[in-house]
Amino acid sequence: MKNGQLKPAYNIQCATNGGYIVDIEGFSNPADVRTLTPFMDKLLKKYDTRINRVVADSGYESEENYLYLRKKKIKPFIKPLNYEVKKIRKYKNEISRKENMTYCKAEDYYLCHNNKKLKFEKMIYRKNKYGFKSESKV
């Protein structure tokens, strides 16, 4: 609270199937994105391999979570973080966004609005504070 007070905070996760609650757990981490993996591990241990899909809101979207679910062969239905903003005309007309450029998969380049090729230059490797390593193309 930034005023010297400490307040207890818990992030309650609830799993449902067919409208019924099948499990519930409290986490001390306030971010949903950090709770998906430990909660899913618990569910998979408890219900074995009967879980084949996950439906979640945008708070759970991360590359780390997608890779985890792919490894476990669970199909994700997670709302993208930028879902609402992508529908705005200003976003759609932003020429600097790669989402608004044409991509040539065969030659691995983007074609900008001035019809110039933006070719692959290098890879950037990052590590978050939880140890997850990701790579991005520039």
Side-chain angles (χ1 to χ4, degrees):
M1 293 181 57
K2 297 185 181 182
N3 63 1
Q5 293 181 4
L6 294 176
K7 300 276 185 183
Y10 302 98
N11 187 346
I12 306 301
Q13 299 297 307
C14 181
T16 63
N17 187 8
Y20 293 96
I21 295 173
V22 294
D23 211 331
I24 193 163
E25 186 167 348
F27 292 88
S28 59
N29 192 318
D32 286 338
V33 74
R34 304 294 324 148
T35 61
L36 184 105
T37 301
F39 193 44
M40 286 302 303
D41 283 341
K42 178 186 173 191
L43 290 171
L44 290 169
K45 194 173 189 179
K46 187 173 183 178
Y47 296 107
D48 200 28
T49 58
R50 292 176 272 174
I51 299 170
N52 56 14
R53 66 180 176 265
V54 167
V55 179
D57 66 28
S58 61
Y60 297 88
E61 187 186 47
S62 74
E63 181 182 6
E64 187 174 2
N65 285 341
Y66 283 130
L67 292 173
Y68 169 84
L69 293 171
R70 181 187 297 162
K71 180 181 173 187
K72 300 289 186 181
K73 296 183 171 115
I74 300 171
K75 188 166 185 169
F77 293 92
I78 301 174
K79 183 179 178 180
L81 281 167
N82 62 353
Y83 179 78
E84 297 299 329
V85 75
K86 282 176 81 172
K87 296 190 284 184
I88 298 170
R89 185 181 316 146
K90 182 180 176 184
Y91 184 93
K92 291 178 183 177
N93 294 332
E94 185 70 44
I95 63 172
S96 64
R97 296 191 172 279
K98 70 178 182 179
E99 297 92 339
N100 297 330
M101 297 180 194
T102 305
Y103 179 65
C104 178
K105 188 174 184 176
E107 297 179 43
D108 194 22
Y109 70 84
Y110 283 93
L111 191 63
C112 79
H113 289 276
N114 291 330
N115 289 324
K116 293 187 179 184
K117 289 183 181 179
L118 303 175
K119 297 180 181 180
F120 169 74
E121 189 176 295
K122 63 181 177 179
M123 293 295 286
I124 293 178
Y125 300 94
R126 294 186 179 113
K127 185 176 174 183
N128 70 14
K129 65 181 181 179
Y130 302 103
F132 177 72
K133 297 174 186 172
S134 65
E135 57 182 49
S136 301
K137 289 173 126 182
V138 176

